[in-house]
Amino acid sequence: MYIAVPAEILGIILPLLLGVAFLVLAERKVMAFVQRRKGPDVVGSFGLLQPLADGLKLILKEPISPSSANFSLFRMAPVATFMLSLVAWAVVPFDYGMVLSDSNIGLLYLFAISSLGVYGIITAGRSSNSKYAFLGALRSAAQMVSYEVSIGLILITVLICVGPRNSSEIVMAQKQIWSGIPLFPVLVMFLISCLAETNRAPFDLPEAEAELVAGYNVEYSSMGSALFFLGEYANMILMSGPCTSLSPGGWPPILDLPIFKKIPGSIWFSIKVILFLFLYIWVRAAFPRYRYDQLMGLGRKVFLPLSLARVVPVSGVLVTFQWLP
Amino acid sequence: MMAQEHAHSSAVERLLNCAVPLRAQYIRVLFREITRISNHSLALTTHAMDVRASTPFLWAFEEREKLLEFYERVSGARMHANFIRPGGVAQDLSLGLCRDIDSSTQQFASRIDELEEMSTGNRIWKQRLVDIGTVTAQQAKDWGFSGVMLRGRVCWDSRRAAPYDVHDQSDPDVPVGTRGDRYDRYCIRIEEMRQSVRIIVQCLNQMPSGMIKADDRKLCPPSRC
C-alpha cells in the first residue's frame, strides 16, 4: 500500500504533465490550422519537440522579480496555483475503480479546489506590488468566483439526477443514457462556465496582452510564468475531466459493442477529454473577447439565474414523478 | 498606397487643367477599388484582432496577399506602388493581369462571406461593437469626415457626389448606416468591399485600349521601352 499510492500518484501526475506540455503545442497547431497556416513545425517533426524547447528556454531564463515585491508570497503564488490544479485530479475516475480516491464527496472536493485556485491568483497579483498585476488579479478573481457559483448550481442539477454517489458511480449511473443528452442545456452552460472559470477565451480579459498587459502574471518571468501557464492549461484539462465524467459519460465507450469494450476505459476517457479540449481551442480561435463588464454581466445576470432556473424545475420534476434516485 | 497617389495626381491635373486618357482612367479606378478592398480588409480584421478575434485577420491577409501581388505585377512594389502619377499611370498593365484579376474577384465574394460568418452575427462581436463609438451626423459634418465615418449616418459618397475619372460609368450601391456606431461602420465596409468587386468587374469589362499617359511632355515623362 505504501508503494501503490505514490505509484498511482505518479501515474496520474506524469502523464498529466506531459499532457499539459503537449496541450500547449496542440493549441498552437489547432489555432494555426483554423487560421490557414501551420503552427510550430520546425523543432521536431510536426513541431513535437516544441514543448521541450519551450520548457528548456523557460527554465534557463533569469528569474527577475520586482524589488518591492513581497518575496515569499511572490515565489509561492505560481507554485500554489500549479499544485492546486494537479491535486484536484485525485477524484477524477479514469476507469471503473481507477480513481486515486473514490470518496463520496468527490465533486465537492473538486469544487473546493477550484475555489482555492482563486487564492493563487490574488496572491500573485497582490504580492507583485504593481498596478496592472493587482487590477488583473482582482478582475480575474471576481470573474472566477462568479462563474464558480454557476458551476456549483449546475453540478447540483446533475447530482440530483444521479444521486449522491462516489465518483465512479456517477459515471456508472449514466449507463443507459449519458446525462449530457437530457441535460444538454446544462452541459452547454457548464462548458461556458468552465471557459470562464479557467480564464479562457472569450473570457480571458484578465490575461489579455493588449488590454491589461498580461494581467496578474505580468511581473513573473521564467519559471514563475511557466508555472502559471502550465497551471492554466492543467486547469483546462482538469475542467474537461469532470465535464466528461458528468456529461458524455466518462469512461464507458460510446456504444455498448464488444469491440469497443476491448479498448480500455481510460482510452475512451482520454478521447472524450481531448474532444472537449479541442472545443476549448476552437472557441478561442473563433470568438472575440468579452469586455469585462459584459463578462461579469453575463455571469451574474445570465448564467446565475439560468443555473438556478435549471435546479428548480429538475428537482420539481424528479420529486413529482418520484424519479429521485 | 494608390489611393493617396490618385488623390495627389487628381489635384495636380485639376490645377493644370490636364486631361487624362480614358484607358488610364479605367486603370486608375480599377486599382483604386483594389486598394479599397485591401484597405477595408486590413481595417476590419485588425479591428477584429484588437477585439481578439484572431482568425479573420489571417484569412483577410491571405486575400490581401493576392491583391499585393497585383500591385507588384503592375508597378514593382507591393505596397508603395508609385504607379498613379499626374497625367495617367506609370506603365501599362502586363499581359494576363486582367484575366488574373478577374479570376481572383470570382472567388473573393466567398472570402467576404467567410469573414462575415465569423463576425457579423456573433453576439460577442455585436456586444463589443453596437452603440460604441457613435458619431452623429452633425459631428461627422462638423469634423469634415468624408468616408465610411460619414456614411455611418449621412448618405454621401465622393464617387457619386463629385465623380472623378470614370466613376460615373460604374454604378455601385452606396451602403449607409443608421446608428453611426462601430457595428454600422463594420457592415458598411463589408458591403463596400462587395461593391468594389462589382466595380472591378465592370472596369475590366469596359476597359478600352489606348494611351496610358497624357500627351503633355511637361507633365509626364516619356515611357521607357
Side-chain angles (χ1 to χ4, degrees):
Chain A
M1 199 211 88
Y2 291 117
I3 303 181
V5 170
E8 281 177 24
I9 295 178
L10 276 181
I12 295 182
I13 290 190
L14 286 180
L16 178 62
L17 291 179
L18 267 182
V20 168
F22 281 99
L23 178 63
V24 177
L25 175 68
E27 175 179 35
R28 289 169 73 176
K29 294 288 278 189
V30 169
M31 276 187 74
F33 279 110
V34 170
Q35 294 165 355
R36 290 176 75 176
R37 57 185 175 95
K38 294 192 279 200
D41 65 345
V42 173
V43 185
S45 60
F46 302 112
L48 285 172
L49 291 181
Q50 182 76 34
L52 187 67
D54 280 338
L56 206 59
K57 173 200 90 166
L58 283 170
I59 292 175
L60 296 175
K61 260 189 172 177
E62 175 191 352
I64 304 176
S65 56
S67 55
S68 52
N70 186 338
F71 184 71
S72 45
L73 281 180
F74 188 75
R75 294 268 167 246
M76 282 313 293
V79 172
T81 311
F82 192 50
M83 179 204 66
L84 286 169
S85 42
L86 291 180
V87 151
W89 279 88
V91 292
V92 175
F94 295 97
D95 203 343
Y96 188 65
M98 244 203 218
V99 178
L100 187 58
S101 143
D102 212 3
S103 69
N104 272 333
I105 57 166
L107 274 180
L108 194 60
Y109 173 79
L110 264 175
F111 197 44
I113 295 287
S114 58
S115 304
L116 279 180
V118 184
Y119 272 112
I121 294 182
I122 297 184
T123 317
R126 187 64 195 90
S127 63
S128 299
N129 217 351
S130 142
K131 283 191 266 266
Y132 284 118
F134 191 44
L135 270 178
L138 287 179
R139 285 181 166 186
S140 177
Q143 170 189 331
M144 285 175 82
V145 163
S146 318
Y147 283 92
E148 257 167 29
V149 181
S150 151
I151 287 184
L153 287 170
I154 292 171
L155 286 179
I156 290 178
T157 314
V158 176
L159 276 179
I160 291 178
C161 296
V162 162
R165 310 185 190 198
N166 54 19
S167 323
S168 327
E169 295 297 323
I170 290 182
V171 179
M172 291 308 291
Q174 299 175 56
K175 246 185 141 65
Q176 285 184 329
I177 184 167
W178 291 344
S179 62
I181 296 180
L183 291 177
F184 185 68
V186 173
L187 171 62
V188 171
M189 283 199 289
F190 189 61
L191 273 175
I192 301 179
S193 303
C194 284
L195 277 178
E197 168 79 20
T198 52
N199 281 343
R200 281 292 288 183
F203 302 103
D204 61 347
L205 191 71
E207 45 181 57
E209 310 95 46
E211 276 104 339
L212 203 55
V213 201
Y216 57 87
N217 52 3
V218 65
E219 300 285 354
Y220 285 90
S221 58
S222 110
M223 251 352 250
S225 86
L227 281 177
F228 268 124
F229 201 53
L230 292 176
E232 177 189 326
Y233 284 90
N235 245 334
M236 252 171 80
I237 311 186
L238 173 65
M239 284 298 166
S240 310
C243 225
T244 347
S245 313
L246 289 177
S247 309
W251 74 76
I254 298 182
L255 299 167
D256 223 355
L257 299 175
I259 185 166
F260 281 169
K261 289 229 166 79
K262 291 257 175 61
I263 308 177
S266 42
I267 303 279
W268 280 109
F269 181 79
S270 315
I271 293 178
K272 291 175 190 175
V273 167
I274 288 175
L275 279 175
F276 274 107
L277 290 173
F278 180 70
L279 198 67
Y280 272 53
I281 301 173
W282 191 2
V283 166
R284 178 176 183 184
F287 287 141
R289 183 182 281 156
Y290 269 110
R291 211 174 59 207
Y292 189 67
D293 55 331
Q294 294 164 349
L295 199 159
M296 294 300 289
L298 197 68
R300 295 283 181 178
K301 292 194 256 188
V302 175
F303 278 106
L304 185 55
L306 270 179
S307 344
L308 271 174
R310 290 299 302 191
V311 173
V312 175
V314 166
S315 32
V317 160
L318 288 176
V319 168
T320 313
F321 295 108
Q322 307 275 323
W323 285 340
L324 277 174
Chain B
M1 314 255 289
M2 292 210 197
Q4 185 268 335
E5 297 164 14
H6 195 179
H8 170 77
S9 308
S10 300
V12 170
E13 283 146 16
R14 231 167 262 194
L15 287 172
L16 290 175
N17 267 332
C18 165
V20 180
L22 197 59
R23 182 176 168 88
Q25 291 184 22
Y26 271 97
I27 296 179
R28 279 179 173 190
V29 167
L30 175 69
F31 276 92
R32 185 60 184 265
E33 296 305 320
I34 290 182
T35 308
R36 190 183 305 267
I37 296 179
S38 161
N39 287 348
H40 280 341
S41 45
L42 183 144
L44 287 175
T45 55
T46 47
H47 177 188
M49 180 72 145
D50 284 337
V51 182
R52 204 56 74 204
S54 39
T55 323
F57 176 71
L58 287 142
W59 292 352
F61 269 61
E62 176 61 39
E63 292 315 303
R64 231 174 139 247
E65 279 298 311
K66 299 175 186 155
L67 297 174
L68 291 175
E69 189 206 319
F70 294 144
Y71 264 45
E72 193 184 4
R73 277 164 81 166
V74 88
S75 69
R78 274 159 56 100
M79 213 158 103
H80 296 115
N82 200 6
F83 178 63
I84 299 182
R85 303 187 184 184
V89 289
Q91 312 172 27
D92 207 343
L93 302 179
S94 44
L95 293 175
L97 182 62
C98 290
R99 206 176 329 127
D100 288 337
I101 296 182
D102 190 49
S103 51
S104 170
T105 49
Q106 277 171 11
Q107 51 91 36
F108 195 72
S110 320
R111 300 286 92 79
I112 304 180
D113 283 339
E114 281 172 12
L115 286 178
E116 269 208 286
E117 240 181 65
M118 286 298 285
S119 312
T120 307
N122 193 337
R123 70 172 67 216
I124 307 181
W125 183 250
K126 280 198 195 156
Q127 236 180 329
R128 288 301 292 257
L129 259 65
V130 170
D131 283 334
I132 312 274
T134 315
V135 175
T136 62
Q138 192 52 46
Q139 275 177 329
K141 287 188 225 175
D142 285 342
W143 292 344
F145 291 155
S146 63
V148 178
M149 299 290 288
L150 179 65
R151 281 198 283 285
R153 286 290 184 103
V154 178
C155 182
W156 166 277
D157 188 345
S158 307
R159 295 173 288 180
R160 286 285 195 81
Y164 47 90
D165 287 347
V166 286
H167 274 294
D168 44 2
Q169 305 284 335
S170 59
D171 191 22
D173 298 330
V174 175
V176 179
T178 47
R179 278 187 308 260
D181 55 8
R182 273 163 82 177
Y183 189 69
D184 274 354
R185 295 197 284 271
Y186 160 81
C187 292
I188 291 175
R189 287 193 168 101
I190 293 265
E191 193 52 39
E192 280 189 6
M193 281 205 277
R194 291 189 210 270
Q195 297 302 318
S196 291
V197 172
R198 243 175 97 180
I199 298 178
I200 289 176
V201 171
Q202 284 175 357
C203 281
L204 288 173
N205 286 336
Q206 294 169 7
M207 187 165 310
S209 52
M211 295 191 354
I212 47 119
K213 283 188 196 191
D215 224 351
D216 189 354
R217 281 291 160 253
K218 285 200 175 174
L219 187 59
C220 336
S223 306
R224 305 179 198 187
C225 285

